[in-house]
Amino acid sequence: MQSKKILLVDDDPDLLELLSIRLTAAGYETVPAESAEAAINYLDISRPHLVISDIQMSGMDGMALFEHIHRHIPTLPVIILTAFGTIPDAVAATQRGIFGYLTKPYNPKILLSQVERAIDLAPAVDTISSKVPAPTWRKAIITRSALMEDLLAKVDRVAQGNASVLLSGESGVGKELFARAIHQASKRCEQPFITINCAAIPEQLLESELFGHAKGAFTGAVREHKGLFQLAEGGSLFLDEIGDMPLLLQAKLLHALQERVIRPVGTAQSIPIDVRIISATHKDLKSEIQAGNFREDLYYRLFVVGLTIPSLAQRGEDIPLLANHFLRVFAEKHQKDINGFSPEAISFLLASSWPGNIRQLMNVIEQSIVMSAVPLISSELIRDAMHKDEEQMISFEEARKQFERDYLVKVLKITAGNVTQAARLAKRNRTEFYKLLQRHQLDFTLYKSLQEKV
């Protein structure tokens, strides 16, 4: 069994050694730091299970160190060692989140009791340097970043309950990967994990996809259809790009979450549900609320727990790790004998900003492997693939416009250019539908003539 790691901080080498001897004898692994600054440097690259710090030190003192840890690593417990005169400060600190304090000279039994309780109640797992295999639920998340380790510790805790979780972060950071991790780490892991992209399905179909519909509920509903809430029963439902859900449907989703029941389209029957909701967005939902595009009451139903996934630029130490992982995956996929990157290629990867995050990195590595004629990926190949990738990437608004135009064309084809029927199918009034056609420069009469030719 892996020993628990404790970071000890004291500018007195003798006291530091004495404390280390006592804790090592009790079976703990200790890491000494003779200043708060040295402790912070260590925390940037690794995570202990507990920090024990003297309160009075030259330079940054123990309270300043605690404030730093509390801001950046709120899940990491801290015990303060204090002299008699600083007890009021230590007591005040417990009200701000410090785990506990010990007065000098401390009683070894009380010390060990507090240490054991701190580790049991608030563990901070150091998987960055650990040789112990990662839990199954997080194996798909490749990282050595301290920032990511903090996030994964939160995921582990959040997964143990049933609270709704809202994942935020830039496009391409891996929000669905984290949603799956939450599900797999939870007690619902044996039950279904169902995903839906709220931005990718037309409004009139999204309701049916979520809640299901009865036979004959609308034209084309030739049989009863179970919605995703029913398919996810007992498990988790991941609502990706929840910020793009239409307002009317937001109201129905809110009712389902409040009452824990759904009502399929075309029926008055209410069906009880037991589903955990995990949602994700790259949008600022508070700004969307102010703009009138998102319901505030639904926001607070979804945002019981909020987790922000860092961008690839924020976890730069993971770039070589991820690049080599993708190299192995795509070299096997494309049956290429490629075994690494040139030093210049790694340097170029590290220096890039990666606006498309992990998704962009993955695409660049795959393009480089496909084009490589030698076993080593060069910086030139990386540069070329990145240039092509940036050319291929379009903005979200451009993607939305393209989807909207494709949808309108499809509706016009179905209705043979009959605007009244097309507007009714799209659940829009005729005036609004005409405006949409004008915006995309679509001539509905063309579809009538095409139908006549057919």
Side-chain angles (χ1 to χ4, degrees), residues 397-445:
E397 285 304 316
E398 288 173 330
R400 181 196 285 272
K401 289 177 182 177
Q402 184 62 48
F403 174 81
E404 193 174 85
R405 188 183 190 283
D406 291 345
Y407 174 75
L408 292 171
V409 168
K410 184 175 182 180
V411 170
L412 288 172
K413 285 182 177 178
I414 291 173
T415 60
N418 186 313
V419 176
T420 301
Q421 291 182 6
R424 188 181 299 120
L425 184 62
K427 295 186 178 179
R428 292 287 184 270
N429 60 53
R430 281 173 55 93
T431 301
E432 184 182 359
F433 196 83
Y434 271 119
K435 288 180 179 178
L436 286 170
L437 294 179
Q438 290 172 357
R439 184 190 306 165
H440 293 281
Q441 298 180 339
L442 291 174
D443 182 359
F444 67 92
T445 60

Side-chain angles (χ1 to χ4, degrees), residues 98-327:
I98 204 166
F99 186 85
Y101 66 92
L102 292 167
T103 55
K104 296 177 181 178
Y106 51 82
N107 183 311
K109 289 185 178 179
I110 296 177
L111 167 67
L112 294 176
S113 175
Q114 279 220 25
V115 167
E116 184 178 357
R117 192 164 64 91
I119 289 175
D120 285 345
L121 294 179
V125 180
D126 180 3
T127 54
I128 298 174
S129 59
S130 171
K131 295 181 180 179
V132 177
T136 302
W137 63 266
R138 56 162 288 170
K139 282 186 176 179
I141 300 173
I142 299 166
T143 184
R144 61 164 60 98
S145 161
L147 188 63
M148 288 286 286
E149 291 299 333
D150 291 337
L151 179 59
L152 289 167
K154 293 177 184 177
V155 166
D156 195 16
R157 291 186 183 186
V158 167
Q160 305 315 310
N162 285 308
S164 297
V165 182
L166 177 63
L167 303 173
S168 58
E170 299 174 5
S171 294
V173 294
K175 293 186 283 289
E176 183 174 343
L177 202 62
F178 273 85
R180 288 184 183 277
I182 292 170
H183 173 76
Q184 290 167 0
S186 74
K187 296 176 182 177
R188 297 175 177 266
C189 61
E190 299 297 326
Q191 302 304 318
F193 174 79
I194 304 294
T195 71
I196 182 171
N197 188 319
C198 300
I201 298 178
E203 180 179 347
Q204 71 276 13
L205 297 180
L206 187 55
E207 181 180 2
S208 173
E209 283 298 304
L210 285 172
F211 306 120
H213 63 250
K215 180 180 179 180
F218 51 83
T219 304
V222 296
R223 62 175 66 88
E224 180 185 344
H225 171 72
K226 282 190 176 182
L228 298 183
F229 269 97
Q230 288 174 274
L231 296 177
E233 178 66 21
S236 304
L237 177 59
F238 177 49
L239 304 174
D240 198 7
E241 299 301 352
I242 188 69
D244 291 299
M245 179 174 281
L247 277 169
L248 180 62
L249 203 52
Q250 289 178 31
K252 296 181 179 181
L253 175 61
L254 176 64
H255 179 268
L257 299 183
Q258 286 177 331
E259 305 300 327
R260 309 304 296 176
V261 297
I262 59 166
R263 185 174 298 169
V265 178
T267 176
Q269 178 187 7
S270 292
I271 301 173
I273 54 169
D274 174 23
V275 176
R276 182 182 198 166
I277 299 298
I278 306 171
S279 51
T281 181
H282 72 283
K283 291 186 174 182
D284 181 350
L285 290 187
K286 289 188 176 179
S287 297
E288 292 295 304
I289 291 170
Q290 292 177 349
N293 299 324
F294 202 83
R295 294 182 62 111
E296 187 173 17
D297 44 8
L298 176 59
Y299 171 78
Y300 288 112
R301 279 283 173 181
L302 298 172
F303 191 73
V304 178
V305 177
L307 298 176
T308 301
I309 303 172
S311 66
L312 186 56
Q314 291 174 297
R315 45 184 288 211
E317 62 267 53
D318 283 342
I319 291 174
L321 195 67
L322 288 163
N324 280 289
H325 169 73
F326 294 141
L327 182 142

